[in-house]
Amino acid sequence: MDKLYKCSKLEKTDVQNRIIESNKGMMDRDDLVKWVSAGLEVGGHTCSHPQLSKIDRAMVEKEPWISKSKLEEITKKEAPIFAYPYGMRGYCNRDMIGLVQKTGYKCAVSLIAGINTLKTNRFDLKKIAVGRNLDFQELCDRIKQNFLKELIFR
């Protein structure tokens, strides 16, 4: 929770303001370095944002690895987490998940909402959506709501 709190406090920093003001939707090298120096992690994605289930195996192995390598070169820190492009069921199959696992990431997240358990495949993690206007208390409430859904529907 310390990282979440620290992240919520970044709202007024140059990093956050630059992203919001530029409306470019992506961070540049300086943004990444500032983000990491504030104690936050960055994770990989891909370089060209392909739908993994629609490209050949060689590209599935290459795209996440290049992204990871570039991020680590820029930040001088490990990029342990991968986020699947598009991130919904059908956009990435079990074979693709296995290939991403081989690229050196410790885990990977989708866009599928929910709570993870100890039984969840760490390369098929769910997450809770966070927007620009979500404050820390709302985030905590959203986590509690998703946790309760998991308990009820299991």
Side-chain angles (χ1 to χ4, degrees), residues 44-120:
H45 192 49
T46 56
C47 294
S48 64
H49 204 265
Q51 184 175 327
L52 296 180
S53 61
K54 299 227 178 198
I55 62 174
D56 65 59
R57 288 179 65 91
M59 286 305 293
V60 173
E61 290 175 340
K62 194 175 188 180
E63 283 272 344
W65 183 84
I66 292 170
S67 174
K68 181 175 176 53
S69 298
K70 285 183 180 182
L71 284 171
E72 290 175 351
E73 177 186 324
I74 292 167
T75 65
K76 308 294 186 237
K77 300 273 185 183
E78 181 186 17
I81 303 166
F82 180 75
Y84 294 105
Y86 306 100
M88 299 304 286
R89 294 279 180 247
Y91 287 103
C92 187
N93 58 40
R94 290 279 166 218
D95 189 39
M96 302 298 123
I97 290 171
L99 292 173
V100 168
Q101 190 171 358
K102 292 178 184 177
T103 61
Y105 290 99
K106 291 183 178 174
C107 62
V109 296
S110 67
L111 288 176
I112 297 168
I115 298 292
N116 301 295
T117 68
L118 292 174
K119 294 179 181 178
T120 305

Side-chain angles (χ1 to χ4, degrees), residues 20-36:
I20 291 169
E21 288 169 13
S22 70
N23 210 16
K24 64 183 177 180
M26 291 193 257
M27 301 170 102
D28 62 22
R29 286 176 178 264
D30 291 338
D31 295 331
L32 287 169
V33 171
K34 287 177 186 175
W35 195 260
V36 169

